[in-house]
Amino acid sequence: VKSDPALWEKLGMDVARFSGMPPMLTNAYRGIFLSQQGRPEKMAYFDDMVANIHTGRIQEIYDAKVGGKPVIGTFCVYVPEELVVAAGGICIGLCGGAQGSIADAEKILPRNICPMVKSAFGFKVGKICPYFQVVDLVYGETTCDAKKKTWELLDRYVPTHVMEIPQMKRERDKWLWLDEVKDFKAAVERITDTITDFDAVAAGIKTVNAKRFALQRLNSLRHHNPSPISGKDMLLIEQIAFYDEPVRFAQKVHELCDELEQRIGSGIAVAPKSTPRIMVSGTPMALPNWKLHHIIESAGAIVVNEESCIGTRYYKDLIDEGSTDLEQQLERLTERYMKIDCSCFTPNDDRIAQVLKEYEESGAEGIIDYCLQFCHTYNIEAVKLREACEARDIPFMSIETDYSPDDVGQLQTRVEAFLEQI
Ligand code: BJ8
C-alpha cells in the first residue's frame, strides 16, 4: 500500500501517526488476499485499488474537488448517491471497519456502542483517514441510535447533515421518505451550485444502476459451484464499490465477470466442488473488515453470498429508468430505496424472505449471521432468522463480534464446529 505524505499534509491529516498505517495494511493484505491460490487475473485492478487507497484514488478525488466537484461522505446505503452523481459530485462511503481508530473514538464516545460507528468517528477525530479529510460534508441518517446521536458530535469536526429515514414501511412513511429525498436533492444542489433536472437525474440513475447491475452479474457468477472466485475477493470488490469512480468500477467488474465466465466454461475454480458453501448475512463489513470471511475461508469453506449492505442489499434493486418526468423519477428512486430491508425497520419480515431467497440462489449449505457488537436491531432480528432457518433445516449460526483480534481463536473454533454439521 503506497504512501504520499505530501498529499496527506494537504488534506490536514496527522501525517506522523498515519504513516504507520500503509505498512500495516500491506502486511494484512498480503496475508489475507495475496496468499490465496488461483485468483482470477482481473483481480489485479482491485489489488491496485487497495495499493493506491491512500494515494491514487484519494489524489483523483482531491483533484476533482480542487476542480470544483464537491465530495460527500455517507454511512448508509439509504443515502441516494444517484442524486450526488446527477449533480456532478462524488459520493464515498465512510463507514469504519478498522480497530485502529476505535481508541480515538472511545476518548469521547461511550465504549459500548457499535464498532462501525466508533471506527468512523475515530478516523475523523484522529485525522487518520484521507477520505474523511477530503469530504466537504457528510450525510448521516436516523437508522440506529448509535449513528443518529453520533452525528450531533461529528458535526463539530465536519459539517454533518442528517436524513430522517422512516422506521416503518407504511404508505405515510413512503411519503415522508420522498420528502426527505427531495430535501436531499435540494441540499446537494446548493452544495454543487447546480440544478439537477430530469436529464441529470436520469444520468445519475443510469450510472449507479450500471454499477449495481455489474455487481449483480458478478454475484450470480460467483454462485456457480465450484466457485470461480473466493468470498474474500468478492467482499473486497463490494467494499471498493463505495469509493471507486462508478463508471470505471462497473467496467472493471464486467471485465472480471468475462473472465469468470471463461473460468466456469473451462472448469477453473478457487476451491473444489465439495468445499462447504457458506452464506453470510447481517451487519455490513466496512473496509478493512475481513475478519469473518478470513476465518471461514481459512477453515476450509467458501463464502458464496453476503446478505449485507456491503453486499446484496446495496445492489439487489435497480431504479426503473422509464420515468417521463422528474416527479416520477424521484418516486421511483424512493420506491427502490424503500426495498432496502435494514433491520432498523419494524416489522422487517421481507428481510427474512430475502435471506431465504439468497440462500437458495447461492447454493449455500449454511448461514452464518454476523452481528456487530451492540447492534441491537440485527442482534434481535437474528432470533427470527434462526427460527426461519430451523423450520427449514438450514444450518444456522449467529455470531456477535467486533473488530478486535481477541475473539479470533474462539470464532475459529465455533466456525469449525459449524462446518462439521454441513
Ligand atoms: S441500511 S444496515 S448501512 S443502517 S451495525 S451502525 S445499524 S449499530 S450499519 Fe446500516 Fe444503513 Fe441499515 Fe445498511 Fe447501527 Fe447496527 Fe452499527 Fe449499523
Side-chain angles (χ1 to χ4, degrees):
V1 177
K2 297 173 190 158
S3 297
D4 188 349
L7 173 64
W8 303 339
E9 199 78 58
K10 279 192 257 178
L11 291 168
M13 298 183 65
D14 183 339
V15 177
R17 209 174 135 208
F18 186 67
S19 299
M21 292 196 177
M24 270 163 50
L25 190 55
T26 302
N27 286 339
Y29 199 74
R30 272 206 195 110
I32 296 173
F33 286 91
L34 302 183
S35 60
Q36 298 176 101
Q37 298 298 310
R39 297 173 80 213
E41 283 176 15
K42 295 291 180 187
M43 277 308 296
Y45 172 76
F46 303 99
D47 289 337
D48 271 0
M49 279 303 293
V50 176
N52 289 303
I53 190 168
H54 299 144
T55 53
R57 178 58 184 145
I58 195 73
Q59 181 75 56
E60 208 172 51
I61 297 173
Y62 179 74
D63 292 345
K65 178 186 161 115
V66 171
K69 277 193 169 194
V71 187
I72 298 179
T74 63
F75 306 89
C76 177
V77 297
Y78 254 90
V79 179
E81 64 183 282
E82 288 84 355
L83 298 179
V84 180
V85 175
I90 295 173
C91 191
I92 48 177
L94 290 177
C95 287
Q99 178 70 8
S101 55
I102 300 255
D104 294 83
E106 287 180 347
K107 287 180 195 152
I108 299 166
L109 292 174
R111 299 187 69 185
N112 56 348
I113 61 169
C114 169
M116 184 141 53
V117 175
K118 283 192 288 189
S119 174
F121 187 77
F123 272 128
K124 182 61 204 170
V125 297
K127 299 184 188 159
I128 47 174
C129 171
Y131 292 86
F132 242 118
Q133 294 303 112
V134 80
V135 291
D136 293 290
L137 55 94
V138 300
Y139 247 93
E141 16 56 51
T142 57
T143 42
C144 67
D145 292 351
K147 280 178 158 187
K148 72 184 170 205
K149 296 309 288 180
T150 297
W151 307 147
E152 296 172 23
L153 302 176
L154 186 64
D155 190 45
R156 296 173 181 173
Y157 304 88
V158 56
T160 304
H161 301 249
V162 181
M163 294 185 85
E164 181 173 359
I165 294 182
Q167 310 276 291
M168 298 179 84
K169 292 188 177 175
R170 301 159 305 180
E171 210 45 35
R172 75 183 87 153
D173 300 305
K174 291 180 187 163
W175 292 116
L176 175 129
W177 178 234
L178 179 59
D179 279 346
E180 286 291 316
V181 166
K182 287 179 180 173
D183 284 357
F184 178 71
K185 178 175 178 290
V188 172
E189 286 173 345
R190 276 196 300 280
I191 303 151
T192 53
D193 202 19
T194 50
I195 295 293
T196 42
D197 60 10
F198 175 83
D199 289 339
V201 174
I205 289 174
K206 200 165 186 268
T207 297
V208 181
N209 267 354
K211 171 163 77 155
R212 299 192 208 274
F213 175 73
L215 287 162
Q216 287 178 0
R217 182 182 171 210
L218 181 60
N219 200 39
S220 74
L221 285 168
R222 69 85 83 106
H223 289 163
H224 189 267
N225 191 7
S227 301
I229 185 169
S230 71
K232 283 192 287 194
D233 280 340
M234 183 71 195
L235 174 63
L236 179 74
I237 294 165
E238 289 166 334
Q239 292 170 332
I240 290 172
F242 287 87
Y243 73 92
D244 198 3
E245 195 287 315
V247 175
R248 179 180 60 207
F249 174 83
Q251 185 200 323
K252 295 297 175 185
V253 171
H254 281 301
E255 286 174 15
L256 174 63
C257 289
D258 294 342
E259 184 185 353
L260 295 194
E261 276 175 354
Q262 285 169 9
R263 289 187 140 216
I264 291 168
S266 329
I268 300 171
V270 291
K273 207 168 180 175
S274 56
T275 307
R277 296 166 67 80
I278 298 298
M279 169 171 151
V280 170
S281 60
T283 47
M285 296 170 174
L287 199 82
N289 177 9
W290 306 307
K291 182 173 163 180
L292 181 62
H293 276 51
H294 189 47
I295 290 172
I296 295 171
E297 298 201 334
S298 301
I302 187 150
V303 180
V304 293
N305 201 70
E306 291 81 26
E307 185 276 329
S308 165
C309 287
I310 298 183
T312 56
R313 278 201 293 278
Y314 178 64
Y315 53 77
K316 71 181 169 62
D317 304 304
L318 304 183
I319 298 173
D320 184 333
E321 292 182 32
S323 298
T324 51
D325 59 51
L326 187 58
E327 186 65 24
Q328 194 181 33
Q329 269 177 332
L330 296 180
E331 281 179 22
R332 287 182 171 175
L333 180 147
T334 303
E335 281 163 19
R336 182 260 163 207
Y337 275 83
M338 285 299 268
K339 289 183 193 155
I340 300 170
D341 31 33
C342 175
S343 65
C344 297
F345 283 85
T346 186
N348 194 36
D349 293 337
D350 285 353
R351 175 165 172 250
I352 310 294
Q354 183 65 27
V355 168
L356 297 173
K357 179 170 173 273
E358 291 182 22
Y359 178 76
E360 289 299 323
E361 288 171 355
S362 62
E365 298 163 291
I367 296 177
I368 299 185
D369 193 48
Y370 173 77
C371 295
L372 281 170
Q373 228 173 30
F374 308 114
C375 177
H376 307 316
T377 55
Y378 278 94
N379 267 311
I380 295 172
E381 203 156 276
V383 174
K384 280 193 163 180
L385 212 45
R386 176 183 295 281
E387 289 166 357
C389 289
E390 281 175 357
R392 291 162 183 80
D393 283 332
I394 297 172
F396 178 87
M397 178 170 78
S398 166
I399 64 157
E400 184 183 359
T401 184
D402 59 10
Y403 299 159
S404 84
D406 299 353
D407 61 350
V408 166
Q410 188 202 19
L411 289 176
Q412 278 166 340
T413 309
R414 288 189 62 199
V415 166
E416 281 161 13
F418 182 68
L419 295 179
E420 277 170 20
Q421 293 174 33
I422 288 172

